[in-house]
Amino acid sequence: MWTADEIALLCYEHYGIRLPKKGKPEPNHEWTLLAAVVKIQCPADQDCDTPDKPAQVTKEVVSMGTGTKCIGQSKMRKSGDILNDSHAEVIARRSFQRYLLHQLQLAATLKEDSIFVPGTQKGLWKLRRDLIFVFFSSHTPCGDASIIPMLEFEDQPCCPVIRDWASNSSVEASSNLEAPGNERKCEDPDNPVTKKMRLEPVTAAREVTNGAAHHQSFGKQESGPVSPGINSCNLTVEGLAAVTRIAPGSAKVIDVYRTGAKCVPGEAGDSGKPGAAFHQVGLLRVKPGRGDRTRSMSCSDKMARWNVLGCQGALLMHFLEEPIYLSAVVIGKCPYSQEAMQRALTGRCQNVSALPKGFGVQELKILQSDLLFEQSRCAVQAKRADSPGRLVPCGAAISWSAVPQQPLDVTANGFPQGTTKKTIGSLQARSQISKVELFRSFQKLLSRIARDKWPDSLRVQKLDTYQDYKEAASSYQEAWSTLRKQAFGSWIRNPPDYHQFK
């Protein structure tokens, strides 16, 4: 029906053809990460959720994002007009929300075909049954999914262990990845030291469904099934390696790929010990910042949340009978562990129960492609040879949505590229996917629907601010509260005064 390589190739082609040069890395000097959401339409008589059954499907990229950075907490704004997190996965998801808003507008105004059909309750819509969405990322998500065991026959990609990393804010890792010894560089092993490992071929697409893990892509080493006990937050990667039997023969885990994402306050911390015991797995983490801590949860954590609450967010849930879930996640060619991906995205929430109607922990398919993103750090490093200067991440983030008006949005430091200090606060200094602009699009959708056709959640009380509308999505808020109580109790939430804009 569709393969991981087909999804990756479609996204790479879309990036090359549909996205302009503006916002892309400078050749031979910069790199970036890519993420996208792909819509798959299946024949009416076929099960759209099964990738290996022969059937003709239609695939279309509906949102795309690039980026590697996020802002520190001191730069956050209460007006909702700055992007706090510009990692590619987050940009792609916010771009997807733009697409969903547009599709809801088409459905509500009956102007064109939409991905939505009327639900059973007044004012509510649901996704057509012949459609699914697949998420693509050129690299493993930062945070828990990037803590990957390293076997003794592999080159060592990690920086030397600095024992006071966890406590000394003066050596806080850079989400900009520019400092020679920063932690995100440790997390991303596409550096010259790992060239030998990087260039080894990996096997074809791998899949895990509901905990049945099959493969870890270090060369062509096979792994056994994951033990039911691996989701414990107190399990080190040494323990993970022992229960998954990933090491062939006498090979053993000697270290891990490291993530610069910090454990959140209230969670058990990393040990910081040299070697494979450096990290504890299964923990909530925040993205690093350049001296200034961020309040942005890691992409591993955010994607795990989407797998329970859906990708639509609280606002759009007002109009939906059920959440919009991803059916699969495809990762491009990079250091990768099937077990780490399953643990990070689904395993930590597998015991969450008593969710509101329509919500549930999804059996997410997780696959890897053999195709490398040409502007990944790994690919650029291999091509640049002895080019002068350092290889650095691209400072811009690109958002693209399948919408008719202003589909493209290029930002830097959370604002549209080219924004000056004088223009900050003006309409032109807002990204199309900032909170305030998505809220404005939501309000525009409301204005085009007769009030007597609004869903009950929007008519029972007077709503004014962004926070009011979010809190009024009662089923979503109940699901989020349940998820926090049962799995993500230490999740960092922004204070309400950051959501009081109108």
Side-chain angles (χ1 to χ4, degrees):
M1 183 176 278
W2 55 269
T3 68
D5 282 354
E6 289 173 352
I7 297 295
L9 182 60
L10 180 69
C11 294
Y12 296 157
E13 289 177 343
H14 188 96
Y15 174 85
I17 296 170
R18 300 294 295 273
L19 270 59
K21 185 177 179 180
K22 181 181 179 181
K24 288 182 177 178
E26 181 184 344
N28 294 322
H29 292 288
E30 294 181 329
W31 59 273
T32 194
L33 301 177
L34 175 71
V37 177
V38 176
K39 179 184 74 175
I40 295 182
Q41 183 175 354
C42 307
D45 58 344
Q46 294 285 341
D47 181 3
C48 206
D49 213 19
T50 308
D52 52 356
K53 286 186 178 179
Q56 193 67 35
V57 300
T58 303
K59 300 183 290 291
E60 177 191 358
V61 175
V62 295
S63 78
M64 181 166 279
T66 71
T68 63
K69 304 187 179 187
C70 54
I71 64 169
Q73 58 186 359
S74 67
K75 293 183 173 64
M76 291 172 61
R77 291 169 58 86
K78 296 180 181 180
S79 49
D81 59 355
I82 190 171
L83 297 178
N84 298 332
D85 188 341
S86 292
H87 280 215
E89 296 94 327
V90 176
I91 296 291
R93 185 254 184 165
R94 297 186 74 82
S95 304
F96 182 50
Q97 290 177 319
R98 252 195 107 191
Y99 166 77
L100 293 176
L101 272 163
H102 174 65
Q103 290 294 318
L104 276 170
Q105 181 178 312
L106 293 180
T109 57
L110 305 174
K111 285 186 176 179
E112 299 176 36
D113 286 341
S114 168
I115 64 172
F116 295 111
V117 295
T120 58
Q121 300 176 54
K122 180 180 179 180
L124 299 186
W125 301 84
K126 61 183 180 181
L127 186 67
R128 281 169 27 195
R129 293 305 175 191
D130 61 338
L131 301 177
I132 64 167
F133 294 105
V134 174
F135 192 86
F136 173 77
S137 177
S138 63
H139 201 278
T140 49
C142 65
D144 197 49
S146 290
I147 304 174
I148 303 172
M150 184 186 308
L151 306 184
E152 63 182 350
F153 55 78
E154 296 173 329
D155 290 331
Q156 167 60 268
C158 293
C159 320
V161 174
I162 301 174
R163 293 187 182 276
D164 62 352
W165 268 357
S167 58
N168 187 350
S169 61
S170 68
V171 292
E172 184 73 20
S174 169
S175 62
N176 295 328
L177 310 163
E178 293 174 359
N182 67 69
E183 293 180 55
R184 179 74 187 270
K185 183 174 179 181
C186 293
E187 166 204 323
D188 190 327
D190 303 328
N191 58 56
V193 183
T194 63
K195 188 172 183 181
K196 177 181 176 183
M197 188 279 291
R198 286 194 284 105
L199 299 180
E200 289 180 353
V202 293
T203 57
R206 309 104 179 133
E207 178 178 345
V208 60
T209 303
N210 198 23
H214 303 296
H215 191 280
Q216 175 158 345
S217 65
F218 295 113
K220 292 187 179 181
Q221 307 305 326
E222 296 297 328
S223 69
V226 176
S227 161
I230 70 164
N231 295 312
S232 167
C233 287
N234 295 319
L235 182 65
T236 64
V237 174
E238 285 181 317
L240 174 64
V243 299
T244 56
R245 304 193 303 279
I246 62 169
S250 59
K252 61 183 179 180
V253 173
I254 60 167
D255 211 330
V256 289
Y257 293 103
R258 300 196 182 142
T259 178
K262 299 286 190 182
C263 298
V264 301
E267 290 271 332
D270 291 322
S271 71
K273 295 177 181 177
F278 183 87
H279 282 306
Q280 291 195 48
V281 298
L283 303 181
L284 290 173
R285 296 174 180 272
V286 291
K287 289 166 181 168
R290 298 192 71 185
D292 183 14
R293 284 187 176 272
T294 79
R295 296 183 65 85
S296 299
M297 301 298 293
S298 75
C299 288
S300 292
D301 299 334
K302 289 185 175 183
M303 292 177 72
R305 175 180 168 175
W306 303 343
N307 196 50
V308 180
L309 304 184
C311 288
Q312 75 294 321
L315 287 185
L316 286 179
M317 203 63 219
H318 281 293
F319 285 103
L320 297 174
E321 199 159 83
E322 51 196 28
I324 304 298
Y325 288 114
L326 301 169
S327 292
V329 170
V330 174
I331 302 297
K333 186 175 182 179
C334 64
Y336 174 92
S337 165
Q338 192 75 8
E339 289 75 21
M341 285 290 294
Q342 186 274 333
R343 175 192 70 233
L345 302 193
T346 65
R348 294 184 293 173
C349 301
Q350 66 182 7
N351 295 321
V352 173
S353 60
L355 290 163
K357 183 180 179 181
F359 291 87
V361 182
Q362 304 301 295
E363 294 184 3
L364 186 69
K365 294 176 176 64
I366 305 174
L367 307 97
Q368 188 185 23
S369 167
D370 277 333
L371 304 181
L372 182 69
F373 178 43
E374 67 178 3
Q375 293 192 318
S376 67
R377 185 174 181 178
C378 170
V380 176
Q381 182 70 56
K383 286 187 294 186
R384 73 191 301 260
D386 298 322
S387 298
R390 288 186 302 159
L391 179 61
V392 298
C394 180
I398 305 174
S399 160
W400 181 90
S401 300
V403 297
Q405 295 182 335
Q406 296 181 270
L408 192 71
D409 196 63
V410 181
T411 55
N413 300 312
F415 293 112
Q417 199 170 46
T419 298
T420 64
K421 287 186 178 180
K422 287 184 178 180
T423 59
I424 288 177
S426 65
L427 289 177
Q428 63 263 36
R430 293 177 177 179
S431 163
Q432 295 293 319
I433 57 170
S434 62
K435 287 187 179 76
V436 68
E437 280 300 300
L438 288 176
F439 184 39
R440 194 167 72 110
S441 297
F442 174 81
Q443 291 173 313
K444 187 180 295 185
L445 170 63
L446 273 180
S447 70
R448 296 186 178 184
I449 302 173
R451 192 178 184 89
D452 62 347
K453 293 183 179 179
W454 285 8
D456 291 342
S457 60
L458 293 173
R459 291 189 294 122
V460 294
Q461 55 184 313
K462 179 174 172 54
L463 304 174
D464 190 24
T465 66
Y466 177 73
Q467 178 76 4
D468 291 342
Y469 279 91
K470 282 171 63 78
E471 290 299 321
S474 56
S475 64
Y476 183 92
Q477 295 300 342
E478 182 185 346
W480 179 212
S481 176
T482 300
L483 178 59
R484 292 198 309 273
K485 288 176 183 176
Q486 297 186 27
F488 289 158
S490 300
W491 192 283
I492 293 179
R493 304 178 70 196
N494 292 329
D497 56 343
Y498 280 89
H499 293 155
Q500 296 301 322
F501 53 86
K502 301 177 181 180

